[in-house]
């Protein structure tokens, strides 16, 4: 069954089942005891009966019921846990655009729990990624748009036999404090190394697919049987960013989601007539849905220098516009659009087991729902023409390290790319200036003897074994017998830090001199500590080895040549 037909109600418009509760001001599902409004068994066709068996109350309360009957789920899905005892319930979830907008759009609808679970496709990615996001840490979701021609009406696009490569890939990074997000596009023609990938097979076994050096990034999916877990591993090696989960969609996502939202506004600086993508539009503003929307995001010859890099910009403009449309009053007040978006989004998605239920997607949506569009930045891995190709055949690109390194450092360091966040950060830094000056002065005071230094050492993101190595170095090389190794820190830190009390300043100065810690790593508390209370040294990702200078601080500004655009700004394609 293709993505357009899964879970469809043939004769009932679910939006007609909504009523406005005057007490709460929210729309709720009208659940009558009629077969016409009973939840269908997932994967089975739904039938409308001739008449209801009981009248529906004017403002009903949500009804609970038993789980789906045995065997009700679609065959072939991989999911932990059974569904037999699961209750029917209505949940507030986030509708999406392509899968990426499922994450960022924050559009809610009360929907049948098991019905939407039945729409999702879930796959086991054999240990790739972290296995799930955490509420107190940054979130990294890899969104993969494949060129697989599955679904009705898609057979005529390009290579109809494509197994589905990583055609459009976006690493969506959400800040730890949930105030901002960065959407990093990765060019499909980027030359990179693909690592070895353990891949789950249909019979349940795991096959090790050998890595490939110096090949196109889009070969990380589909080629030689690679799954999305291999794309996740490739992204981690390429960017140094740990990926938590993935979402994957095909061509149908653009068509169904753009239609569900009522069309996506776009602006063109010139008329377009692209025979390959079948995009034909006049100069000016248009509202695109279905086939036209797909043609817009697929076109390579309509804008810029007719390359995949300019197509990425067009796709980012389209996604930003769809996000604005989903945030609009017209969408937020329409229960019909709510339902249509959630149906289209869940039918379009293939996810890993860490996001493999409406519960988990709802939790993710709750983490992201308050991010303002002005604080979401689209950007692309900076690249150069591949120097190994002849001048007359520039088909691939390589990473431009001079521009990519600071960009990736900022994402890894959880630094916002938006001007709004930079202004807020500047204000905070100004308020902290006096405290930093005092810390600098503290380094110039008296230092305690090494034998009097008490410190607990934690690894909060440094190389494996850093705490143990540092402990031995302090005790044996520097004569600090009162140092202790307490293993991994409760949470990772962005940079190495030494926490100490005001009456431990002489110990902190001594340890900072031994370790080569800068003033920025010194974090003084407000209350004095007990005589035998140790300081707390947490080693971060900037730590290399004991006594070595820490890695340079994370850049706070992007090089001016790095492409970026904020999601709240409308840009005309040219």
């Amino acid at each position: 069954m293709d993505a357009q037909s899964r879970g469809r109600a043939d004769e009932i418009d679910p939006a007609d089942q909504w009523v406005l509760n005057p007490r709460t001001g929210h729309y709720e599902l009208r659940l009558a005891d009629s077969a016409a409004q009973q939840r269908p068994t997932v994967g089975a066709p739904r039938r409308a009966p001739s008449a209801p068996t009981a009248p529906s109350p004017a403002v009903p309360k949500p009804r609970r019921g038993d789980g789906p009957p045995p065997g009700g789920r679609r065959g072939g899905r991989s999911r932990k846990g059974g569904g037999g005892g699961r209750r029917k319930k209505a949940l507030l979830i986030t509708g999406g655009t392509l899968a990426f907008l499922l994450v960022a759009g924050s559009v809610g609808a009360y929907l049948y729990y098991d019905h939407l679970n039945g729409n999702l496709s879930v796959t086991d990615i054999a240990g790739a990624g972290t296995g799930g996001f955490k509420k107190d840490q940054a979130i990294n979701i890899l969104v993969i748009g494949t060129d697989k021609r599955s679904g009705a009406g898609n057979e005529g696009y390009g290579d109809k036999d494509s197994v589905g490569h990583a055609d459009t890939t976006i690493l969506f990074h959400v800040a730890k404090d949930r105030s901002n997000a960065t959407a990093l596009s990765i060019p499909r023609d980027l030359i990179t190394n693909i690592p070895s990938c353990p891949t789950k097979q249909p019979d349940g076994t795991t096959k090790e697919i050998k890595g490939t050096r110096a090949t196109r990034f889009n070969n990380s999916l589909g080629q030689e049987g690679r799954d999305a877990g291999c794309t996740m591993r490739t992204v981690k090696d390429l960017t140094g960013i740990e990926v938590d989960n993935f979402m994957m969609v095909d061509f149908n996502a653009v068509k169904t989601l753009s239609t569900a939202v009522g069309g996506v506004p776009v602006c063109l600086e010139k008329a377009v007539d692209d025979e390959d993508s079948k995009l034909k539009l006049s100069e000016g503003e248009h509202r695109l849905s279905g086939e036209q929307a797909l043609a817009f995001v697929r076109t390579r010859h309509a804008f810029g220098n007719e390359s995949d890099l300019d197509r990425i910009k067009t796709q980012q403009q389209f996604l930003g516009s769809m996000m604005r449309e989903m945030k609009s009053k017209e969408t937020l007040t329409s229960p019909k659009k709510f339902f249509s978006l959630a149906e289209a989004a869940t039918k379009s998605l293939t996810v890993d087991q860490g996001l493999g239920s409406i519960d988990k997607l709802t939790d993710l949506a709750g983490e992201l729902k308050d991010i303002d569009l002005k604080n979401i930045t689209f950007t692309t891995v900076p690249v150069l023409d591949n120097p190994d190709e002849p001048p007359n055949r520039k088909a691939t690109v390589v990473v431009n390290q001079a521009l990519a390194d600071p960009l990736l450092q900022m994402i890894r360091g959880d630094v916002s790319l938006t001007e709004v966040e930079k202004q807020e950060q500047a204000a905070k830094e100004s308020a902290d200036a006096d405290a930093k000056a005092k810390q600098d002065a503290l380094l110039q005071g008296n230092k305690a003897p090494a034998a009097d230094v008490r410190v607990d050492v934690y690894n909060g993101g440094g190389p494996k074994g850093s705490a143990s190595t540092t402990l031995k170095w302090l005790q044996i090389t520097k004569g600090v017998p009162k140092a202790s190794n307490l293993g991994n820190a409760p949470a990772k830190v962005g940079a190495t830090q030494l926490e100490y009390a005001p009456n431990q300043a002489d110990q902190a100065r001594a340890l900072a001199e031994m370790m080569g810690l800068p003033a920025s790593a010194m974090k003084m508390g407000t209350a004095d500590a007990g005589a035998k209370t140790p300081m707390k040294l947490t080693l971060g990702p900037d730590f290399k080895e004991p006594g070595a200078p820490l890695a340079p601080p994370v850049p706070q500004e992007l090089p001016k040549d790095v492409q970026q655009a904020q999601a709240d700004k409308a840009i005309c394609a040219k």
Side-chain angles (χ1 to χ4, degrees), residues 31-45:
L31 300 177
D33 289 333
S34 67
Q37 291 181 325
Q38 290 175 357
R39 176 184 56 80
T41 300
V42 175

Side-chain angles (χ1 to χ4, degrees), residues 149-373:
R149 272 64 178 167
S150 59
N154 297 324
E155 302 86 353
Y157 296 126
D159 179 10
K160 64 182 179 63
D161 297 319
S162 173
V163 294
H165 299 97
D167 194 56
T168 298
T169 304
I170 298 174
L171 179 60
F172 189 52
H173 169 85
V174 182
K176 179 179 179 179
D177 64 4
R178 309 300 188 250
S179 67
N180 64 89
T182 299
L184 177 70
S185 294
I186 302 175
R188 68 173 194 174
D189 295 323
L190 175 66
I191 296 299
T192 189
N193 297 327
I194 298 175
S196 296
C197 307
T199 305
K200 277 291 184 72
Q201 304 300 301
D203 62 1
T205 61
T206 298
K207 177 183 177 182
E208 183 83 11
I209 300 176
K210 292 183 179 180
T212 304
R213 296 186 62 81
T215 188
R216 276 182 166 89
F217 173 82
N218 72 335
N219 289 333
S220 64
L221 178 68
Q223 200 78 10
E224 300 181 29
R226 295 186 177 102
D227 63 7
C230 192
T231 306
M232 294 173 73
R233 292 179 171 89
T234 303
V235 169
K236 180 183 177 181
D237 284 3
L238 175 66
T239 65
I241 299 169
E242 188 87 32
V243 182
D244 298 309
N245 304 97
F246 86 90
M247 296 178 172
M248 185 164 60
V249 295
D250 58 19
F251 285 175
N252 280 327
V254 179
K255 296 196 294 186
T256 59
L257 289 167
S258 61
T259 300
V261 79
V264 176
V266 299
C267 172
L268 281 68
E269 287 196 359
K270 62 179 183 180
V272 170
D273 189 357
D274 182 356
E275 292 184 1
D276 290 342
S277 68
K278 305 299 187 290
L279 180 66
K280 187 173 183 178
L281 296 171
S282 61
E283 175 186 346
E285 297 182 356
H286 300 269
R287 182 173 287 269
L288 307 182
S289 61
E291 296 291 346
Q292 270 196 322
L294 179 59
F296 184 82
V297 298
R298 287 188 65 242
T299 183
R300 287 181 60 129
H301 306 298
F303 308 112
N305 62 5
E306 302 187 11
S307 70
D308 186 57
L309 298 178
D310 279 291
R311 177 166 64 172
I312 287 174
K313 294 178 184 178
T314 303
Q315 292 170 346
Q316 292 174 349
Q317 293 163 12
F318 182 86
L319 290 172
S321 181
M322 184 177 280
M323 292 170 70
R324 294 191 297 275
E325 193 67 16
M326 294 179 69
K327 288 277 192 178
S328 69
K329 181 180 179 180
E330 289 75 13
T331 299
L332 293 174
T333 57
S334 170
K336 186 178 183 70
K337 285 188 178 181
F338 283 172
F339 190 93
S340 297
L341 282 167
E343 283 286 299
T346 52
K347 286 177 182 178
S348 300
L349 280 176
T350 297
V351 298
D352 62 272
Q353 291 182 325
L355 290 178
S357 71
I358 300 303
D359 267 346
K360 293 172 182 176
L361 288 173
T362 302
D363 289 343
L364 177 60
E367 293 293 305
L368 312 179
K369 64 184 176 62
D370 294 327
I371 301 177
D372 197 302
L373 292 182

